[in-house]
Amino acid sequence: MKTVADYQFIRKLHVDHGMSIREIAREYHYSRRTIRAALGWDGSDSVGKYERQKAPARPKTGEYVGTIDEWLVADQKVHRKQRHTAKRIWERLRDEYGVDVAECTVRRLVAQRRAEIAPLAKQVYLMLAFEAGDLAQVDWGEARVWIDGVLTKMYLFCMRLGYSTAPFVMAFSSMRMECFLEGHARALEYFAGVPRHLVYDNLSSAVKKILRGRERELNPRFQQLAAYYLFEPEFANPAAGWEKGLVEGLVGFSRRNYLVPVPRVSSLAELNAQLRAKTLALRAQTAAERGDRTVGDLWDEEIGRFLPLPRTAFRASTTHAVRVDKFSVFRHQQVKYSVPSRYAERRLRLEAFHDRLEVYDGANLVASHAIVPIAKSPVLRLEHYLDVLVRKPGAVRHARVVSQLGSVATAYRDAFLKAQPQAYSEFVRVLLLVRTYPWPLVLSAMAFATERRVYSAAGVDQIVRECQGNAVASAATLPHGPRVHQPDPARFDELVVASR
């Protein structure tokens, strides 16, 4: 094999000494091909390297190269642990096509074909530039958070502006449609305007069916959201997360920077207040590749280009028809909730929000509940069953709605019925006080009445009125129950706090 030194020597003979190709070959025994290669050398690193002029003949595998290429290309869409090995390709050629060829020959061929096919399968990305106010990207992420001492799975609704890269992050207990809608309403209010285009992957909250190309059949409720805010939804190709890389990066950034170490909060509202403060702090950061301009500067520029917000926020709810059973409860997300007993065995309209449920009879709101993500027992409201208890007072001893009132109420009930056996109707009159006073006041009055052994509705009513600062009746004139002393307001305040 000839070296650079050989090329240098040959070129000097020809240039400095004027020797011809024939003279150099006869005198120094170089082949004329080598001499011509040295004289035509362009300084590249190919000195002495043999380059095949045409592909080698493959008498046994040549007609199957296309088949092997098809298998290798198809492998790019398959999990890497289920792709063809060279041995498996050799076995298939042998068993399915009857090719009599050595395994090592197939291995060399597969290695060569993979080297040529691999560059074609690689993804090449483009750097993007966005106009102010034109685009934002939306996605969900998962995280774990300690809420009130319980490690809870949360879902992060993330939206990020394309031009300024300003982020919005809000945690929800689920990814239900009403949470998806609420996330949009809160995010657009946070950004103080509506980007003209919002980009999503093909999540079921937005897409009912994937059609040809970029066309999608939209979820009807999501379509109403887009029509209300007048943005144009756009969708990434399936399994193409890089097409919305800004928000994909935000999901990971939020977990690493906002949720490490795992936060310990008392409520979801506290967590979201922390997330809002941390995202707002990013306004002061210098935007990448924008000189000395901050995220806040670019965001302010976008606000002037956004579509305006509607005058009222979007009603971020979903509507369902519910059937109330004979126990005056309906079921939502595997949890039972109560409504007033007069609506038992009726069909009502439910509006589900991300944090509450509202039940309507026509246009009339008949019940409202905070959503309970997980409940082993029904969520019952005392005021929904008071009419039934008036008709069936004996049920107060075992009625679940009374048992769920807490230890203070059940202790007073047990003491009340022990002091006055069969006085069920009188205890029901105590419960009826919730129609006049807030439940925490009635509950605290029960605690005070238990201490003073006051077992009458009038006695509990007097305790509540006296501690509200209303006209004070003499304790000696109570129509029912034993004589009581006038309550100490300071002690009553302690009971109120303890009952919350």
Side-chain angles (χ1 to χ4, degrees), residues 378 380-386 389 396 399-413 427-428 430-432 434 439-440 442-444 446 499:
L380 307 177
R381 299 276 291 276
L382 174 62
E383 59 268 29
H384 294 164
Y385 295 93
L386 289 175
L389 291 173
V396 296
R400 178 175 283 184
V401 66
V402 179
S403 300
Q404 288 185 356
L405 295 178
S407 59
V408 172
T410 54
Y412 182 63
R413 176 197 63 186
F427 183 75
V428 170
V430 174
L431 297 180
L432 286 172
V434 300
W439 170 246
V442 176
L443 186 64
S444 298
M446 286 183 183
S499 67

Side-chain angles (χ1 to χ4, degrees), residues 10-273:
I10 293 171
R11 288 168 65 82
K12 280 192 173 185
L13 293 176
H14 180 73
V15 175
D16 294 346
H17 300 284
M19 295 181 67
S20 65
I21 294 175
R22 178 184 295 180
E23 290 172 335
I24 296 172
R26 184 175 62 246
E27 185 72 22
Y28 295 99
H29 306 290
Y30 287 110
S31 71
R32 297 193 179 197
R33 177 179 293 179
T34 299
I35 297 170
R36 290 191 179 94
L39 297 181
W41 181 50
D42 59 1
S44 65
D45 189 31
S46 60
V47 174
K49 294 181 179 179
Y50 173 74
E51 295 183 2
R52 186 183 293 275
Q53 300 298 316
K54 60 180 181 179
R58 297 190 179 94
K60 293 186 177 181
T61 60
E63 63 180 296
Y64 302 105
V65 170
T67 302
I68 294 173
D69 287 351
E70 289 178 5
W71 294 344
L72 296 177
V73 170
D75 277 351
Q76 302 300 321
K77 300 179 181 179
V78 177
H79 191 277
R80 60 184 181 84
K81 292 186 178 182
Q82 289 183 262
R83 296 176 181 175
H84 284 84
T85 62
K87 180 180 179 181
R88 181 58 184 144
I89 290 177
W90 170 67
E91 291 173 344
R92 289 191 64 183
L93 290 175
R94 180 196 63 194
D95 300 339
E96 298 176 22
Y97 295 89
V99 179
D100 182 17
V101 63
E103 181 181 346
C104 61
T105 301
V106 175
R107 285 184 179 276
R108 287 194 298 270
L109 175 59
V110 170
Q112 178 190 351
R113 300 312 303 158
R114 278 195 176 127
E116 295 184 10
I117 290 172
L120 301 178
K122 290 181 178 179
Q123 289 286 350
V124 179
Y125 303 96
L126 296 173
M127 299 178 67
L128 303 179
F130 303 100
E131 296 182 4
D134 181 64
L135 179 139
Q137 298 176 356
V138 180
D139 201 5
W140 284 104
E142 291 186 9
R144 299 292 193 281
V145 179
W146 289 100
I147 296 183
D148 198 20
V150 178
L151 187 60
T152 307
K153 179 189 285 189
M154 305 305 301
Y155 299 89
L156 303 178
F157 177 89
C158 299
M159 184 182 293
R160 195 171 199 175
L161 299 179
Y163 180 72
S164 65
T165 69
F168 172 84
V169 182
M170 184 174 179
F172 290 92
S173 59
S174 75
M175 294 191 296
R176 295 192 307 271
M177 172 60 82
E178 47 268 28
C179 299
F180 186 61
L181 299 174
E182 182 72 15
H184 280 81
R186 296 289 188 91
L188 298 177
E189 179 184 353
Y190 172 85
F191 288 131
V194 183
R196 286 170 168 75
H197 301 86
L198 294 184
V199 181
Y200 306 83
D201 56 20
N202 298 282
L203 69 172
S204 60
S205 299
V207 177
K208 187 175 180 180
K209 185 177 181 181
I210 299 177
L211 304 177
R212 179 176 297 179
R214 296 281 182 172
E215 295 182 4
R216 302 290 187 271
E217 181 181 347
L218 300 183
N219 183 301
R221 192 67 177 121
F222 173 73
Q223 193 168 19
Q224 292 169 1
L225 175 79
Y228 188 78
Y229 286 107
L230 299 179
F231 64 80
E232 291 290 336
E234 297 180 359
F235 298 93
N237 285 310
W242 61 85
E243 295 185 2
K244 52 182 183 61
L246 279 175
V247 74
E248 292 276 353
L250 174 61
V251 171
F253 177 87
S254 300
R255 276 195 292 256
R256 293 188 301 271
N257 293 273
Y258 303 156
L259 303 176
V260 176
V262 179
R264 292 181 177 270
V265 295
S266 60
S267 65
L268 185 59
E270 182 182 349
L271 173 63
N272 280 323

Side-chain angles (χ1 to χ4, degrees), residues 187-410:
L188 298 177
E189 179 184 353
Y190 172 85
F191 288 131
V194 183
R196 286 170 168 75
H197 301 86
L198 294 184
V199 181
Y200 306 83
D201 56 20
N202 298 282
L203 69 172
S204 60
S205 299
V207 177
K208 187 175 180 180
K209 185 177 181 181
I210 299 177
L211 304 177
R212 179 176 297 179
R214 296 281 182 172
E215 295 182 4
R216 302 290 187 271
E217 181 181 347
L218 300 183
N219 183 301
R221 192 67 177 121
F222 173 73
Q223 193 168 19
Q224 292 169 1
L225 175 79
Y228 188 78
Y229 286 107
L230 299 179
F231 64 80
E232 291 290 336
E234 297 180 359
F235 298 93
N237 285 310
W242 61 85
E243 295 185 2
K244 52 182 183 61
L246 279 175
V247 74
E248 292 276 353
L250 174 61
V251 171
F253 177 87
S254 300
R255 276 195 292 256
R256 293 188 301 271
N257 293 273
Y258 303 156
L259 303 176
V260 176
V262 179
R264 292 181 177 270
V265 295
S266 60
S267 65
L268 185 59
E270 182 182 349
L271 173 63
N272 280 323
Q274 292 180 7
L275 292 173
R276 186 182 184 91
K278 290 177 179 179
T279 53
L280 281 173
L282 294 178
R283 282 183 59 92
Q285 288 191 0
T286 301
E289 301 180 2
R290 299 295 183 88
D292 57 353
R293 302 188 69 187
T294 66
V295 171
D297 295 334
L298 299 172
W299 182 1
D300 291 339
E301 184 180 340
E302 288 207 86
I303 290 175
R305 306 283 186 87
F306 285 144
L307 296 171
L309 286 169
R311 292 184 179 180
T312 58
F314 183 76
R315 191 168 178 83
S317 65
T318 56
T319 302
H320 314 268
V322 293
R323 174 76 177 179
V324 182
D325 65 17
K326 63 182 179 180
F327 298 103
S328 197
V329 297
F330 67 91
R331 187 186 297 271
H332 178 71
Q333 298 292 332
Q334 306 305 313
V335 179
K336 292 181 177 180
Y337 299 88
S338 67
V339 297
S341 57
R342 63 183 177 275
Y343 295 103
E345 300 190 81
R346 292 267 306 275
R347 286 193 177 274
L348 300 175
R349 175 170 59 87
L350 170 67
E351 279 202 50
F353 295 81
H354 79 286
D355 58 350
R356 69 188 189 281
L357 303 175
E358 295 181 357
V359 187
Y360 291 86
D361 178 23
N364 298 319
L365 177 65
V366 301
S368 179
H369 289 277
I371 284 183
V372 179
I374 300 176
K376 295 182 180 179
S377 58
V379 179
L380 307 177
R381 299 276 291 276
L382 174 62
E383 59 268 29
H384 294 164
Y385 295 93
L386 289 175
D387 291 338
V388 179
L389 291 173
V390 167
R391 297 194 302 271
K392 303 177 180 180
V396 296
R397 184 177 291 278
H398 301 295
R400 178 175 283 184
V401 66
V402 179
S403 300
Q404 288 185 356
L405 295 178
S407 59
V408 172
T410 54

